[in-house]
Amino acid sequence: NHEMLHWSAPSGKPFKGDVRDFNWHTHNSPVGFPVMGVWEEGKAGSRHINSVDRSSARGHMVAGDDAGIVRLLHYPCVARGAGSAR
């Protein structure tokens, strides 16, 4: 299980509001709605996703796994089993 926590930079205190519609400058967390399609749960030989990063143009993302494989995907990537290029 994963938990996403957000902090207010000016105050340094936890932010407890709804952040799902925020327009983030970057996205480099392997958890969250816009990247849920990178996971291959239940698929034989699936690996743990260690890192993701969205392009500055916001149309693509990369995901890296335990085996050192880096995949290029469309962003947002919300469909399970989303196609990718290695």
Side-chain angles (χ1 to χ4, degrees):
N1 292 336
H2 297 281
E3 180 180 21
M4 288 184 67
L5 302 173
H6 298 89
W7 301 86
S8 171
S11 71
K13 295 181 180 179
F15 181 81
K16 298 186 190 252
D18 187 357
V19 297
R20 74 179 117 190
D21 293 326
F22 278 24
N23 187 13
W24 298 100
H25 182 68
T26 63
H27 192 117
N28 53 14
S29 172
V31 295
F33 179 77
V35 297
M36 68 184 190
V38 302
W39 295 93
E40 300 175 325
E41 294 175 35
K43 199 173 182 182
S46 64
R47 296 181 177 92
H48 184 263
I49 303 297
N50 293 311
S51 61
V52 301
D53 200 4
R54 183 191 67 202
S55 68
S56 59
R58 302 175 185 243
H60 295 91
M61 63 175 284
V62 293
D65 66 23
D66 285 342
I69 296 173
V70 176
R71 296 183 297 146
L72 175 66
L73 304 111
H74 289 286
Y75 182 89
C77 181
V78 297
R80 291 192 185 263
S84 65
R86 290 183 181 199

